[in-house]
Amino acid sequence: MAAEIVNPPSDSADQDGAEPLDSFDPVFALHRGGKMAVQATVPVRDKDDLSLAYTPGVARVCTAIADQPELVNDYTWKSSVVAVVTDGTAVLGLGDIGPEASLPVMEGKAILFKQFGGVDAVPIALDCTDADDIVETVVRLAPSFGGVNLEDISAPRCFEIERKLQERLDIPVFHDDQHGTAVVTLAALRNAARLSGREIGQLRAVISGAGAAGVAIAKMLVEAGIGDVALADRKGIISSDRQDLTPVKSEVATFTNKAGLTGSLEDALAGADVFIGVSGGTVPEAAVASMAEGAFVFAMANPNPEVHPDVAHKYAAVVATGRSDFPNQINNVLAFPGIFAGALQVRASRITEGMKIAAAEALAAVVGDDLAADYVIPSPFDERVAPAVTAAVAAAARAEGVARR
C-alpha cells in the first residue's frame, strides 16, 4: 500500500454542470480522486515475474500457508497492514454523517499510519451501525489484517464493539478515539507535572466529557497513579449516587471521584490541578480562575477549545489544546502509528494497558531536557516520535507476554 497523493485533472465540471469545487478550493483539489493508491512491492515485467507473483508460483505459497497457517504473516502483507474501520457515526466534530462522508477522514487516517509509522492501512467504512453487525463484519474481514483500528464510532457502542472484537480476535484491536487520545494526554500531563516539580499522584484532575475519550483518559490516568480524577457529563459530576448513569458511566464511578464530589463541572474545578476538556462547550472563566495555583488546562475540543488559550494562560502554568496553531497540541497521530508499528513488529495478540502506558512514557521522554511550558509534548513531525513509541510498545508487549516473535 502506498500513501500517495493522487490529483487527476480537474478541468471537468461537476455532474450538475456547476464549476468543480477544486477550481477554487485547494482542499478539494487535494482530495480529488482520493488520497491513496495501491502500489505493488514486486515487479511484474515479463512472464517469469508473472509466474512467480501469480500462477503457478503463488500456489506453492498458498499450499504452505494451508499447511502452516502462521506462515501467512511471513508471505503476505497481513502482518504489516491495519484495517481502519468506521460506521461514520461520530466523525471528527461532524457527528453522524454516514459511511461515505467518513471516507475522506479514513483515507487521511490511513496516510498518517504510513507517513508517521510506516504502517499500511486500508479504510473500511461500513454501512451498518448495529454493534453486533459491526463485530461480525470485522471478524469476517480479520484474516486479511494484522490489526484493527476502530475510528469515529459513537459512544457507548464503541466500548461494546471494541470489547467484543478483542474477545474474538487474536490481533490488536484499538479504538483510537479512546486510547490514542489517552496516551497523548498522559504523556503531556507527565511532562507538565515534571515541569512543576510534582508527581502525577499529587494531582487532582477534572475531565469534561464522559464519552469515548473522556472515559479512556480517566482509566489511563488511574492506571498511571493520578491522585484523583472526576468526570463530568451534561448532567454534572459522575458519582455513584447518581441514578441516571449508563453501564459505562456506572463502571467509571467505581474507580474515579474518590473525593465524592457532586454538583457541576464548575464545582469540581474549584481547587483542581488539571482540567481536561474532550466535550466541546465553554467553561466559564470564573471556573478556570478557581483552579489551584499552577494548574494545567488541556482544552482539546476542536475547532473551539473549551477554554480559549488566551483565557487559560491567565491562570494556568501549562496550556494545551487539540489545535495545531497553538503550542502543545494533543494530537493522536503522536500515538497510534507507533503503537501499531510496535504491536505488528512483535505480532502482538492484543494491545495491553502496559503497552499504552509504555507509549505515553516514551512519548513524554522525547521532549527530554527541552521541556518548557510551551513544549510538554513533541511535534508530530519530530522524527524521533514514532521510533521511540514503536520500540517501547514492542518491549512492553514482550514483557507482558502478548508478543509472538
Side-chain angles (χ1 to χ4, degrees), residues 16 81-82 119 209 218 266 324 374 395 397:
D16 60 3
V81 67
V82 170
V119 174
E266 289 82 358
S324 60
D374 62 354

Side-chain angles (χ1 to χ4, degrees), residues 8-342:
S10 58
D11 54 0
S12 60
D14 288 342
Q15 290 183 354
D16 60 3
E19 187 73 11
L21 292 170
D22 52 348
S23 65
F24 55 88
D25 189 329
V27 171
F28 281 88
L30 183 141
H31 282 76
R32 181 174 283 275
K35 300 189 291 286
M36 302 173 61
V38 173
Q39 179 178 338
T41 60
V42 297
V44 184
R45 298 161 299 196
D46 52 38
K47 65 181 183 63
D48 291 332
D49 288 344
L50 184 60
S51 70
L52 292 172
Y54 200 54
T55 186
V58 72
R60 292 165 57 190
V61 181
C62 295
T63 302
I65 294 171
D67 291 339
Q68 301 180 62
E70 68 277 7
L71 291 180
V72 70
N73 294 296
D74 295 310
Y75 296 106
T76 73
W77 78 341
K78 177 181 172 72
S79 65
S80 61
V81 67
V82 170
V84 180
V85 178
T86 189
D87 64 357
T89 56
V91 182
L92 298 178
L94 304 174
D96 185 355
I97 60 175
E100 287 88 354
S102 75
L103 269 177
V105 178
M106 300 310 115
E107 287 183 2
K109 194 79 173 194
I111 66 173
L112 295 180
F113 264 110
K114 188 68 173 181
Q115 176 71 26
F116 293 104
V119 174
D120 291 319
V122 177
I124 297 176
L126 301 179
D127 188 15
C128 59
T129 58
D130 178 78
D132 287 334
D133 287 347
I134 292 173
V135 169
E136 291 299 327
T137 302
V138 175
V139 167
R140 284 163 172 73
L141 291 169
S144 295
F145 299 99
V148 176
N149 183 94
L150 299 173
E151 191 76 19
D152 293 350
I153 298 173
S154 62
R157 294 174 312 116
C158 59
F159 303 112
E160 177 187 0
I161 290 167
E162 183 186 48
R163 176 180 57 78
K164 288 184 175 180
L165 285 173
Q166 288 172 337
E167 290 171 352
R168 294 186 59 180
L169 298 177
D170 65 347
I171 57 176
V173 177
F174 185 85
H175 184 211
D176 185 50
D177 300 319
Q178 294 183 57
H179 311 300
T181 304
V183 166
V184 183
T185 301
L186 176 58
L189 186 58
R190 281 195 181 280
N191 275 340
R194 179 163 69 94
L195 183 67
S196 67
R198 288 178 284 178
E199 301 290 335
I200 282 187
Q202 298 173 272
L203 304 176
R204 178 170 73 84
V206 176
I207 300 173
S208 174
V215 169
I217 291 169
K219 287 181 177 180
M220 183 158 284
L221 293 186
V222 169
E223 186 76 18
I226 191 82
D228 196 8
V229 57
L231 283 81
D233 60 13
R234 292 183 181 87
K235 297 182 179 180
I237 302 167
I238 291 176
S239 58
S240 56
D241 61 346
R242 277 181 49 180
Q243 303 301 310
D244 60 344
L245 299 179
T246 65
V248 171
K249 292 178 183 179
S250 293
E251 180 193 359
V252 167
T254 66
F255 61 84
T256 63
N257 194 15
K258 292 186 292 186
L261 300 175
T262 58
S264 66
L265 170 70
E266 289 82 358
D267 293 329
L269 283 175
D273 302 293
V274 185
F275 168 74
I276 297 171
V278 284
S279 65
T282 301
V283 177
E285 182 172 346
V288 182
S290 75
M291 295 179 68
E293 185 177 354
F296 312 140
V297 171
F298 292 3
M300 302 189 297
N302 269 318
N304 299 311
E306 294 89 349
V307 183
H308 193 278
D310 292 344
V311 174
H313 278 297
K314 294 180 184 180
Y315 311 101
V318 176
V319 176
T321 72
R323 290 173 47 156
S324 60
D325 54 346
F326 292 108
N328 295 328
Q329 183 190 19
I330 307 298
N331 191 330
N332 289 13
V333 76
L334 289 162
F336 69 81
I339 289 174
F340 268 99

